[in-house]
Amino acid sequence: MNRLTGVDGSPALALLGPDETALVRELDRIFTGWGVAAGAREISVPPLYPVADLEKFDVYTNFPQLALVSGPLELTNGTGKPLDGRFGSADLQDARYGLPHATCYGAYLYYEGSHVDQDTLVTLVNRCFRNEERYGGLRRLASFQMREIVALGSFEHTQEVIARFGARIQEFAEAISLPLDKVAAIDPFFQDDGARALLQRLSPVKHEFQHGDLAIASVNTHRNFFGERCDIRLASEEHAYTSCVAFGLERWLTVLTDLHDGDLVAALDLVRAADHQAP
């Protein structure tokens, strides 16, 4: 079983029990394995970044409603103790760290200012944070785990990666009898005043894999946006293109829990069997 906690009774954060943790770990192992088998190397990234780093990606322009930030306590005139379960603005110094709402940012910051091969592939997992209007158990959390497989290099490479893993997601879902629909997402990714935003409206850059109305995975193409913002280049000195494949681990957990009427052992056995049968 899991337990939920949050502010003012909102079920924004999940504490997973042993069975839930085992299933999440297995799902993450499988998704990581897909990336490694395709040539990805794993990197480790921090759970928060300087605001100045996230600002490079227009996070606070395109997604201000989701943003959560962090700063130290102001102790000059205060005691450092919360009142009624919260700190007021006067109790805090400037918030110079931001909590990311997507895992892939770490990959672009890792390669910032460097050259990459045209077929670079990495995988990473991180805690993501989103200030949602409402929360709903494992379906929508303030903090959750996201595994990503990130492609950097030529445009052809980035498109081949999302095509390959998009098909892999659907094959895996069929193997575990999990109905999924591939749906074009309408999230505003690029600033609304440029050529990339126009291209996004004409040709969606994000597709979600939804079970019912819940997206549990997505494939995303960013063209050379992150390559330019982080000055990541190919040997030709052209800015690298990027794409990513993302898996919301708690969301996979909740749909599998529902699918198996709460029998997490059966869900784990089926997931493992499907992975062993995969080519």
Side-chain angles (χ1 to χ4, degrees), residues 178-226:
L178 179 66
L180 286 184
D181 294 315
K182 184 178 179 181
V183 179
I186 58 173
D187 297 356
F189 185 78
F190 303 119
Q191 286 193 42
D192 200 35
D193 58 355
R196 290 192 187 90
L198 175 60
L199 281 172
Q200 177 176 346
R201 289 192 289 271
L202 297 175
S203 176
V205 298
K206 176 178 182 178
H207 286 85
E208 295 177 337
F209 295 88
Q210 297 183 355
H211 177 71
D213 62 350
L214 183 65
I216 64 174
S218 66
V219 292
N220 310 265
T221 182
H222 321 116
R223 302 187 176 89
N224 56 2
F225 174 81
F226 290 111

Side-chain angles (χ1 to χ4, degrees), residues 90-262:
D91 299 319
L92 302 174
Q93 296 182 30
D94 291 346
R96 298 185 178 182
Y97 286 97
L99 284 68
H101 67 265
T103 291
C104 61
Y105 297 146
Y108 316 127
L109 293 169
Y110 174 76
Y111 284 106
E112 185 171 19
S114 67
H115 287 73
V116 297
D117 294 334
Q118 64 178 1
D119 59 351
T120 300
L121 196 63
V122 297
T123 184
L124 60 164
V125 67
N126 206 359
R127 280 278 171 185
C128 297
F129 302 86
R130 296 183 183 179
N131 178 45
E132 303 278 12
E133 290 185 2
R134 58 181 176 79
Y135 297 102
L138 300 183
R139 295 173 57 88
R140 194 174 299 276
L141 292 164
S143 174
F144 56 94
Q145 300 169 84
M146 183 185 292
R147 164 66 61 179
E148 295 209 33
I149 301 167
V150 181
L152 307 94
S154 69
F155 182 73
E156 293 75 17
H157 167 59
T158 65
Q159 298 310 289
E160 188 277 330
V161 166
I162 62 173
R164 180 197 316 174
F165 286 105
R168 190 71 183 270
I169 290 168
Q170 291 178 313
E171 291 169 0
F172 181 68
E174 290 174 5
I176 59 175
S177 300
L178 179 66
L180 286 184
D181 294 315
K182 184 178 179 181
V183 179
I186 58 173
D187 297 356
F189 185 78
F190 303 119
Q191 286 193 42
D192 200 35
D193 58 355
R196 290 192 187 90
L198 175 60
L199 281 172
Q200 177 176 346
R201 289 192 289 271
L202 297 175
S203 176
V205 298
K206 176 178 182 178
H207 286 85
E208 295 177 337
F209 295 88
Q210 297 183 355
H211 177 71
D213 62 350
L214 183 65
I216 64 174
S218 66
V219 292
N220 310 265
T221 182
H222 321 116
R223 302 187 176 89
N224 56 2
F225 174 81
F226 290 111
E228 290 181 352
R229 293 300 176 93
C230 287
D231 193 26
I232 307 168
R233 296 179 183 266
L234 303 174
S236 65
E237 296 301 329
E238 179 185 9
H239 284 111
Y241 291 82
T242 66
S243 67
C244 67
V245 185
F247 305 88
L249 297 178
E250 282 86 355
R251 290 190 174 189
W252 280 83
L253 170 61
T254 195
V255 298
L256 287 170
T257 300
D258 292 344
L259 190 66
H260 292 272
D261 297 322

